[in-house]
Amino acid sequence: MIKSAYLHIPFCEHICHYCDFNKVFLKNQPVDEYLDLMDMEMKNTLEKNKANELETIFVGGGTPTALNEKQLEKLLDSVQRHFPISHEMEYTFEANPGDLSKEKLLLLKEGGVNRLSFGVQSFNDDLLKKIGRSHRKADVFRSIEHAREAGFHNISIDLIYSLPDQSINDFRETLKTSLSLDMEHYSAYSLIIEPKTVFYNLMNKGLLPLPTQEEEAEMYEVLLDVMAANGYKQYEISNFAKEGYESRHNITYWDNDEYFGIGAGAHGYVNGNRITNHGPLKKYMDAIKETGFPYKETHHVTKVESMEEEMFLGLRKSKGVSEAIFKEKFSVELISVFREPIESNFAKGLLERHEGHIRLTKKGKFLGNEVFQAFLGVI
């Protein structure tokens, strides 16, 4: 049963130096036509794949809140027409602290959105400028205040650490400032240098002064300790929440469940198929006009691939992979399929068995990618 949908808005007013997501500058783009074709994709997708009422919707980008009020209202109306909104649903919008006006906040609230995810990244204004962010520390406080006034009681902040020239003390200060806002949810990711980004080009020229691996690991340890000390439960490698405020949408991914992907460059998982939409705006739009669907690639996931995904996605969760659910899904014991990587990582102290789950140890969280790799290509 498909219970989630991801919608992609690829427009940005500024392009951050680290970002490799599918995005374009907003100026002079055919935004309204894009929204019309997204509406058509939603309609055609649901006609092709009957779905029950969704439990989560996540609108990401790009910068969804870069849309003007009329465009934002158009998008919200499309979502409501195709995906009935209920009070029980988790309906998230990503937002940039610098462009979320009171009027847009009220539109989102009236449209059924009940969760906001702010791309804050840092509370150091010099660092924000260095990484290409358009907002500043004061914008975050103002946007959070306005969001609370508009009635939002489920707000998440995204942070990035191991930024160029970032010190461990600077990251401590960012965490301290973040926690002073008393958000329901925090995500914190280590900077990854991706191809085709400003940072990638600077790194290749030797002009990107990054923290050492040891400093990056220390920042992660600081993150774990500070979040725990402030009562936030780590429920995934990079995600922390007050009780009951875990991101249900992201758990869909980590549980290896199916979901719709709508919009340019969006990915979906439907009826056993991983579907990738065309990313370039023109290709996405032309494909919908010609065929009704913007699919660039459809890959049927084999049983072996699905079992591997169950492991490297599920091990991101603090509770790990359920042995009972694995057997229910695949009609085989988890340990019998992955005995060698499990026992090997038990011996290294990177995995442990806890209450019917295989999960990362604290040591394993620092070496997660190494553990995940161990489950690929062994069946």
Side-chain angles (χ1 to χ4, degrees):
M1 181 186 75
I2 299 172
K3 59 184 182 181
S4 296
Y6 172 79
L7 282 68
H8 191 76
I9 304 299
F11 309 109
C12 287
E13 294 192 65
H14 303 273
I15 304 297
C16 301
H17 297 341
Y18 54 84
C19 180
D20 75 328
F21 293 137
N22 191 52
K23 78 280 182 187
V24 293
F25 280 112
L26 176 66
K27 191 175 181 180
N28 299 324
Q29 295 294 342
V31 179
D32 287 289
E33 185 181 6
Y34 176 80
L35 295 175
D36 287 338
L37 291 168
M38 268 189 77
D39 183 274
M40 186 181 298
E41 185 189 357
M42 290 183 226
K43 175 178 177 291
N44 293 346
T45 297
L46 288 177
E47 286 178 354
K48 183 178 180 181
N49 307 280
K50 300 303 180 186
N52 294 330
E53 191 172 279
L54 297 185
E55 295 179 13
T56 76
I57 295 174
F58 193 105
V59 183
T63 312
T65 53
L67 301 179
N68 65 36
E69 290 165 31
K70 187 175 179 182
Q71 292 162 345
L72 196 55
E73 191 168 14
K74 185 175 188 174
L75 172 61
L76 291 164
D77 287 346
S78 281
V79 175
Q80 284 187 322
R81 262 186 288 109
H82 299 297
F83 303 115
I85 308 300
S86 70
H87 292 298
E88 292 76 30
M89 175 186 286
E90 179 191 271
Y91 186 1
T92 304
F93 253 70
E94 285 187 336
N96 178 22
D99 61 22
L100 194 52
S101 65
K102 289 183 177 181
E103 290 75 19
K104 288 182 182 179
L105 279 163
L106 291 173
L107 275 176
L108 292 174
K109 190 67 179 173
E110 290 166 5
V113 177
N114 55 20
R115 185 175 185 271
L116 298 174
S117 179
F118 282 101
V120 172
Q121 319 315 358
S122 173
F123 282 93
N124 180 323
D125 282 350
D126 290 336
L127 266 182
L128 287 170
K129 184 177 181 181
K130 189 173 292 188
I131 67 177
R133 296 295 290 172
S134 60
H135 74 271
R136 296 295 177 261
K137 176 180 176 178
D139 296 319
V140 180
F141 282 86
R142 183 168 53 252
S143 292
I144 296 293
E145 180 183 356
H146 291 167
R148 293 298 196 200
E149 290 171 355
F152 285 94
H153 305 295
N154 189 355
I155 301 178
S156 178
I157 278 181
D158 280 359
L159 302 172
I160 301 178
Y161 59 93
S162 197
L163 294 168
D165 286 323
Q166 186 178 35
S167 68
I168 293 164
N169 282 338
D170 174 83
F171 184 55
R172 284 186 184 276
E173 283 301 309
T174 274
L175 288 176
K176 181 179 177 181
T177 305
S178 296
L179 289 162
S180 75
L181 288 164
D182 193 30
M183 297 291 90
E184 287 72 31
H185 186 282
Y186 294 92
S187 299
Y189 302 94
S190 172
L191 176 68
I192 298 174
I193 307 299
E194 301 283 5
K196 300 180 181 178
T197 63
V198 172
F199 276 175
Y200 184 80
N201 294 332
L202 289 173
M203 183 182 71
N204 285 342
K205 295 175 183 177
L207 299 173
L208 195 66
L210 295 171
T212 65
Q213 286 187 331
E214 290 75 19
E215 288 171 325
E216 180 182 329
E218 188 172 344
M219 288 182 196
Y220 185 59
E221 186 151 23
V222 166
L223 172 68
L224 299 185
D225 292 345
V226 169
M227 286 296 171
N230 284 271
Y232 286 88
K233 172 188 172 187
Q234 183 185 25
Y235 68 100
E236 190 267 350
I237 285 178
S238 301
N239 285 269
F240 307 81
K242 293 182 178 180
E243 193 67 39
Y245 288 95
E246 298 84 357
S247 170
R248 288 158 52 199
H249 183 84
N250 286 342
I251 289 171
T252 297
Y253 301 148
W254 302 320
D255 281 348
N256 201 21
D257 289 336
E258 296 192 338
Y259 56 92
F260 295 120
I262 306 291
H267 294 254
Y269 187 19
V270 180
N271 296 329
N273 296 305
R274 295 277 182 191
I275 301 168
T276 304
N277 286 357
H278 285 288
L281 220 55
K282 188 175 187 306
K283 285 191 175 182
Y284 169 83
M285 294 167 72
D286 287 348
I288 294 181
K289 291 173 188 175
E290 291 167 12
T291 70
F293 295 96
Y295 302 159
K296 175 185 177 183
E297 183 181 350
T298 300
H299 170 72
H300 183 72
V301 180
T302 67
K303 182 177 179 180
V304 167
E305 289 170 333
S306 186
M307 287 191 287
E308 291 175 341
E309 290 173 353
E310 191 79 10
M311 298 308 296
F312 68 72
L313 291 170
L315 284 172
R316 294 191 62 89
K317 299 178 294 183
S318 292
K319 68 180 181 180
V321 178
S322 165
E323 295 180 90
I325 291 175
F326 189 96
K327 184 175 182 180
E328 182 182 327
K329 280 187 174 182
F330 303 111
S331 302
V332 63
E333 298 285 351
L334 192 163
I335 191 67
S336 69
V337 177
F338 292 112
R339 182 178 300 279
E340 193 283 324
I342 289 174
E343 292 184 349
S344 172
N345 281 288
F346 277 175
K348 294 176 185 176
L350 303 180
L351 285 179
E352 63 185 2
R353 180 178 276 110
H354 180 75
E355 295 181 351
H357 291 72
I358 303 296
R359 69 178 189 180
L360 293 173
T361 61
K362 183 174 182 180
K363 179 183 176 182
K365 290 176 183 176
F366 287 82
L367 298 167
N369 288 335
E370 177 185 316
V371 178
F372 305 153
Q373 287 289 329
F375 289 89
L376 301 178
V378 298
I379 307 175

